[in-house]
């Protein structure tokens, strides 16, 4: 399994060479490292968690023209690595439940699924999560902040997927809601610390915004 994990990591390196939307190789690497650490703490299958984490964004539809194309590539890779059908199913099931999708995705059915989803969500929080949010907004031609727009908005899945909010609105439409959906105990503790950093960042952000506009 270790060689397969190394080859999945090498694939992620090639795949994300030129991404500037916040889905870079280093995001995937952080998710894989965090998932392995959580798996050890929770006594889950660390190999399955590592593989699902390394491959979770490579399988994501948002990088392809055809729905399901990325998932097929990942299954082909895992088959070529001679993984058992059960392991491949377990990994694909985890990948399917990782994505946030505005909070409308189904929940993971296994501990390993909860762990990889926690690891991915933790990477959306804190200083790194803040940086990723502004990278994403820039890459999608969104505003940094539109004063006057409501910070809290109720969004259905379609509205969330339109991604027409500002980077600052994203903290309220997703990031501050993530902590509630973290499954593991150590993940929840870490989410609290990371959320606090975002709160402090936004306090400074709004204070400077007001002062500098004076
Ligand atoms: P989703 O949460 O819909 O699955 P992604 O996983 O593609 O979105 O998100 C990648 C990164 O970009 C995360 O850090 C996420 O919080 C951030 N992001 C997602 N949507 C937006 C948005 N509309 N504006 C700013 N940042 C976003
Ligand atoms: Ni991810």
């Amino acid at each position: 399994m270790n060689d397969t994990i190394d080859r999945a990591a090498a694939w992620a390196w090639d795949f994300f060479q030129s991404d500037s939307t916040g889905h870079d190789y280093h995001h995937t690497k952080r998710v894989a490292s965090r998932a392995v650490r959580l798996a050890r703490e929770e006594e889950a299958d660390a190999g399955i968690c590592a593989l699902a984490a390394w491959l979770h964004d490579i399988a994501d539809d948002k990088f392809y023209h055809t729905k399901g194309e990325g998932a097929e590539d990942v299954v082909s890779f895992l088959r070529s690595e001679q993984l058992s059908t059960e392991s491949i199913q377990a990994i694909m099931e985890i990948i399917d439940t990782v994505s946030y999708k505005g909070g409308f995705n189904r929940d993971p059915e296994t501990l390993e699924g909860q762990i990889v989803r926690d690891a991915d969500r933790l990477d959306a929080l804190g200083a790194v999560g803040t940086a990723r949010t502004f990278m994403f907004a820039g890459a999608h031609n969104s505003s940094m902040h539109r004063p006057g727009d409501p910070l809290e908005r109720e969004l259905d899945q379609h509205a969330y997927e339109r991604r027409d909010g500002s980077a600052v609105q994203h903290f309220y439409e997703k990031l501050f809601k993530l902590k509630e959906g973290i499954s593991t105990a150590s993940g929840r503790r870490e989410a609290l610390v990371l959320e606090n950093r975002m709160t402090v960042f936004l306090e400074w952000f709004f204070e400077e915004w007001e002062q500098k506009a004076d």
Side-chain angles (χ1 to χ4, degrees):
M1 172 97 57
N2 280 347
D3 287 349
T4 301
I5 295 170
D6 288 346
R7 282 189 284 270
W11 187 14
W13 174 256
D14 286 343
F15 190 87
F16 293 112
Q17 281 287 335
S18 58
D19 186 275
S20 62
T21 64
H23 291 97
D24 56 10
Y25 167 79
H26 299 283
H27 160 65
T28 303
K29 184 167 190 232
R30 287 189 299 269
V31 176
S33 307
R34 178 63 40 77
V36 168
R37 208 163 75 209
L38 287 173
R40 293 200 178 117
E41 282 166 14
E42 302 286 328
E43 297 181 9
D45 187 328
I48 292 288
C49 288
L51 274 177
W54 277 113
L55 300 170
H56 81 278
D57 270 340
I58 297 182
D60 198 311
D61 281 336
K62 65 183 156 246
F63 298 111
Y64 303 86
H65 295 298
T66 326
K67 204 168 166 2
E69 198 179 333
E72 268 177 42
D73 286 355
V74 167
V75 170
S76 303
F77 165 78
L78 295 172
R79 286 209 184 108
S80 73
E81 292 286 328
Q82 323 289 338
L83 250 71
S84 69
T85 312
E86 296 83 72
S87 295
I88 296 176
Q89 264 172 7
I91 291 166
M92 297 317 290
E93 163 69 21
I94 295 173
I95 289 175
D96 208 41
T97 54
V98 165
S99 177
Y100 181 64
K101 300 201 169 102
F104 298 98
N105 201 358
R106 64 195 173 90
D107 287 326
E109 285 173 10
T110 59
L111 176 60
E112 285 75 14
Q114 293 179 337
I115 283 171
V116 180
R117 190 174 75 165
D118 281 4
D120 191 45
R121 291 184 170 186
L122 288 169
D123 203 49
L125 299 178
V128 166
T130 299
R132 291 181 71 213
T133 297
F134 287 98
M135 289 294 285
F136 185 103
H140 290 82
N141 292 322
S142 302
S143 316
M144 178 163 84
H145 177 44
R146 289 195 300 257
D149 277 13
L151 292 177
E152 314 268 354
R153 343 180 258 168
E154 274 310 311
L155 298 177
D156 61 19
Q157 186 166 1
H158 278 307
Y160 180 81
E161 282 167 3
R162 271 203 303 276
R163 303 180 187 282
D164 58 0
S166 68
V168 166
Q169 276 175 317
H170 188 65
F171 286 83
Y172 299 89
E173 73 192 14
K174 174 182 171 189
L175 305 182
F176 287 126
K177 294 181 179 166
L178 282 183
K179 187 181 68 213
E180 304 308 321
I182 301 268
S183 309
T184 59
S186 49
R188 266 196 302 277
R189 276 194 298 278
E190 192 163 346
L192 268 174
V193 174
L194 296 174
E195 188 180 277
N196 195 34
R197 291 180 190 163
M198 300 191 303
T199 305
V200 171
F201 166 77
L202 284 173
E203 278 167 14
W204 283 114
F205 183 90
F206 291 129
E207 189 178 316
E208 283 184 32
W209 189 280
E210 293 293 319
Q211 276 172 358
K212 289 178 175 174
D214 246 0

